[in-house]
Amino acid sequence: QVQLVESGGGLVQAGGSLRLSCAPSGAINSVSTVAWFRQAPGKEREFVAAITWFGGSTRYADSMKGRFTISGGSGENTVNLQINILKPEDTATYYCAGSNGIVPVSVVSYRYWGQGTQVTVSS
């Protein structure tokens, strides 16, 4: 089993930055990819970015390129998501997830999920 714990969310003004962290534990070396998803109220969960646990290869949703940066992996034993120039539409619960696949983008490809961390951006 793999446990994922997110941290770093909060209330921030538009234009600000946040750094979210995902701390894995358990059988994490059985996971190939760790990703970030987000879900706004009334919307489906959407892929943000993913990184391979070993090797650091990354993948971003097209709409997330530029302001979002994923980093970390086995060397740091954490996966971070840096979000810059936050916008009100970034308001969502951000989830960390683990998959045995190589940077997949679909929710169903991820077996392990954290509880989420709330990000609220005020205008």
Side-chain angles (χ1 to χ4, degrees):
Q1 279 286 12
V2 176
Q3 293 80 41
L4 303 167
V5 179
E6 304 95 336
S7 62
L11 174 64
V12 64
Q13 287 190 331
S17 299
L18 275 178
R19 185 178 178 88
L20 308 182
S21 294
C22 174
S25 61
I28 185 59
N29 288 339
S30 66
V31 168
S32 297
T33 294
V34 177
W36 286 94
F37 286 76
R38 70 182 187 182
Q39 187 167 21
K43 295 189 176 181
E44 293 186 353
R45 193 167 297 190
E46 65 174 338
F47 173 77
V48 176
I51 188 167
T52 53
W53 185 243
F54 301 101
S57 296
T58 61
R59 185 175 186 179
Y60 293 88
D62 287 342
S63 61
M64 309 296 176
K65 291 179 181 178
R67 297 190 298 117
F68 294 78
T69 303
I70 192 169
S71 63
S74 60
E76 300 174 38
N77 202 39
T78 187
V79 172
N80 302 307
L81 183 70
Q82 178 73 33
I83 314 172
N84 297 325
I85 316 176
L86 279 155
K87 304 176 181 180
E89 51 263 44
D90 293 321
T91 295
T93 301
Y94 284 72
Y95 295 92
C96 178
S99 172
N100 294 327
I102 303 301
V103 293
V105 302
S106 63
V107 170
V108 296
S109 296
Y110 288 82
R111 178 179 180 182
Y112 306 105
W113 292 87
Q115 294 299 306
T117 186
Q118 178 67 37
V119 172
T120 303
V121 184
S122 63
S123 57

